[in-house]
Amino acid sequence: MSFSKLGVTAFIALTLAAAAFAQDSTLAATPPMGWNSWNHFAGRVSDADVRAAADALVSSGMRDAGYIYVNIDDTWEGQRDAQGVIHTNDKFPDMKALADYVHSKGLKLGIYSGPGPKTCAGFEASYGHEEQDAKTYAAWGIDYLKYDLCSFTGIMRQQAPHDQPKQFELMKAAYQKMHQALVATGRPIVFSLCQYGWNDVWKWGPEVGGNLWRTTGDINDTWQRMADIGFNQLGLSKYAAPGHWNDPDMLEVGNGGMTSDEYRTHMSLWAILAAPLLAGNDLSKMTPDTLAILTNKEVIAVDQDALGKQGDRAFAVGLTEIWTRPLTGGALAAGLFNRDETEHPITLHLRDLGFSNQAKLRDLWQHQDVTAANGSYTVNVPPHAGVMLRVSQ
Ligand code: GLA
């Protein structure tokens, strides 16, 4: 081989290595966005529902707003064959064909399993079949795996009775094992840990290959539960970074149990928390109001900010709270939230946030610039509502 040919070969090899690295480091570079079947369809979800969700993501403009992942949650699983290969159940006649369909729409497909013998809904999970399942997912064209602890707690108790530190090691090893199995397929597959925030998962989630990890038990479609989760994510901001996100659970926007103000608070808070935005409603039957909340581009831009820094609570007075999130270019997102049952004025003091009195303010739900008088901005916030601002110098 001549010197120049060698040079070209070396250049190609380097370029390929750089591309592989770039692919690794950009998997979940910003919090994953998409849809998940559980919050609305739960155990009823079928192939047709997933196709309808994919169609709706495109026709509603959600895909173009960033909602890319179409995630099938629990209850797609059938039985294993004599070789141990997992098959789908009757609700999902052909997973590869479904993946092809979803991909043809410019979307990605996610799936669900767990390290135990059974999923939370009692279906077949991956215990003892991790490599085999990872290969099956890759062959189907899966792009995202939510891996839910569920029955693995039984294995932990069985293998390390009354030994909690050992049980914790077993849990970490189980997540690590599936991570390695996914990596070994060579297909970039986002790895979503679901073990309800136990053992401070944010401290070791990246170590076991998690791109995101649930920080809490399940959300439901009530103000009480959503607010309990969202306003209790204090102190977790330092654990989030590109590729590694805290996950306060999926969105309930549009499922009908909260008011529009409450859903806007949900969306604003999740954006400040750099949370994955996985819509959980029936996308084929969305009201214009639900769609407007889910596709507010200015709020999504906060969630997806390239700096990848999660926000945290900055001030609290009674049941009013101000949460802030640093953004690219020295800007800041500020959520002024009223958790009370009555209206309250909330005041933002620019100097308290490190800005001069001349800082620019924009209301991200009103889509208009607003002005601070003498360096402070006061707004009357209705019960359970929030005002979302972008502050820049
Ligand atoms: C657990 C998870 C939920 C959902 C169900 C499915 O409860 O936390 O998000 O995946 O299992 O059975």
Side-chain angles (χ1 to χ4, degrees):
M1 193 185 280
S2 73
F3 178 77
S4 71
K5 266 196 185 146
L6 205 85
V8 169
T9 315
F11 174 77
I12 291 173
L14 275 175
T15 313
L16 285 177
F21 176 76
Q23 196 169 49
D24 260 352
S25 60
T26 52
L27 195 58
T30 59
M33 290 177 67
W35 172 85
N36 173 293
S37 59
W38 189 254
N39 284 353
H40 177 78
F41 291 95
R44 301 179 308 278
V45 67
S46 69
D47 176 283
D49 297 324
V50 175
R51 284 173 193 254
D55 293 347
L57 282 172
V58 177
S59 62
S60 66
M62 283 179 71
R63 178 195 63 188
D64 295 341
Y67 293 85
I68 292 296
Y69 289 95
V70 180
N71 292 349
I72 308 168
D73 208 277
D74 205 350
T75 80
W76 63 266
E77 310 87 345
Q79 301 301 318
R80 293 187 185 279
D81 63 23
Q83 280 69 48
V85 175
I86 185 90
H87 292 272
T88 52
N89 62 38
D90 292 349
K91 297 189 295 151
F92 290 88
D94 187 341
M95 196 60 91
K96 173 83 174 76
L98 179 55
D100 289 347
Y101 183 77
V102 166
H103 291 153
S104 77
K105 302 255 156 184
L107 298 163
K108 293 178 182 291
L109 188 65
I111 210 164
Y112 169 101
S113 188
K118 297 283 173 206
T119 67
C120 287
F123 287 67
E124 190 68 20
S126 295
Y127 185 60
H129 295 274
E130 294 81 359
E131 287 83 6
Q132 206 172 18
D133 285 358
K135 281 188 191 146
T136 303
Y137 303 153
W140 282 338
I142 297 293
D143 307 294
Y144 184 119
L145 173 67
K146 173 175 169 184
Y147 208 48
D148 196 346
L149 191 67
C150 298
S151 69
F152 192 75
T153 54
I155 303 285
M156 286 153 56
R157 282 194 298 271
Q158 213 174 58
Q159 295 189 355
H162 313 296
D163 184 348
Q164 290 197 348
K166 181 75 203 308
Q167 292 182 7
F168 175 36
E169 289 310 314
L170 289 168
M171 174 167 61
K172 282 204 286 195
Y175 278 99
Q176 177 94 45
K177 186 172 197 175
M178 186 47 109
H179 166 62
Q180 279 161 354
L182 293 175
V183 170
T185 67
R187 186 175 175 86
I189 299 178
V190 171
F191 191 34
S192 158
L193 274 48
C194 178
Q195 47 76 275
Y196 337 112
W198 292 350
N199 301 82
D200 293 350
V201 60
W202 40 88
K203 294 185 180 157
W204 50 270
E207 216 176 281
V208 299
N211 296 116
L212 60 156
W213 44 82
R214 280 271 296 278
T215 58
T216 72
D218 291 11
I219 197 168
N220 62 41
D221 188 19
T222 63
W223 162 259
Q224 191 58 49
R225 182 66 184 145
M226 183 282 290
D228 266 0
I229 292 179
F231 290 111
N232 280 305
Q233 302 295 299
L234 294 173
L236 297 188
S237 52
K238 62 172 176 284
Y239 300 104
H244 309 290
W245 308 103
N246 290 301
D247 173 11
D249 208 357
M250 304 167 294
L251 297 173
E252 291 283 6
V253 176
N255 277 332
M258 292 184 239
T259 65
S260 294
D261 273 343
E262 292 170 342
Y263 283 139
R264 274 189 286 273
T265 295
H266 186 10
M267 185 78 185
S268 303
L269 199 44
W270 262 233
I272 287 177
L273 293 172
L277 297 179
L278 296 171
N281 56 317
D282 182 354
L283 302 180
S284 61
K285 297 192 185 70
M286 253 186 307
T287 64
D289 190 42
T290 295
L291 182 62
I293 294 172
L294 288 171
T295 56
N296 181 327
K297 291 208 165 100
E298 297 192 75
V299 172
I300 290 174
V302 170
D303 183 75
Q304 297 288 300
D305 185 80
L307 199 57
K309 280 201 176 300
Q310 178 174 335
D312 225 311
R313 193 171 73 187
F315 309 99
V317 179
L319 287 172
T320 64
E321 300 188 6
I322 298 181
W323 286 66
T324 57
R325 172 174 177 182
L327 302 173
T328 313
L332 195 82
L336 283 52
F337 298 111
N338 177 9
R339 300 177 62 179
D340 208 352
E341 308 297 323
T342 52
E343 180 168 292
H344 286 288
I346 304 183
T347 300
L348 186 80
H349 298 286
L350 289 170
R351 286 193 187 279
D352 290 351
L353 302 177
F355 287 88
S356 79
N357 287 0
Q358 282 69 49
K360 295 193 204 62
L361 287 181
R362 182 166 176 83
D363 184 318
L364 306 186
W365 287 108
Q366 301 299 325
H367 301 296
Q368 62 187 22
D369 294 342
V370 293
T371 42
N374 304 318
S376 64
Y377 182 69
T378 300
V379 58
N380 285 323
V381 185
H384 298 182
V387 170
M388 181 86 159
L389 299 171
R390 186 175 194 281
V391 189
S392 58
Q393 200 53 62

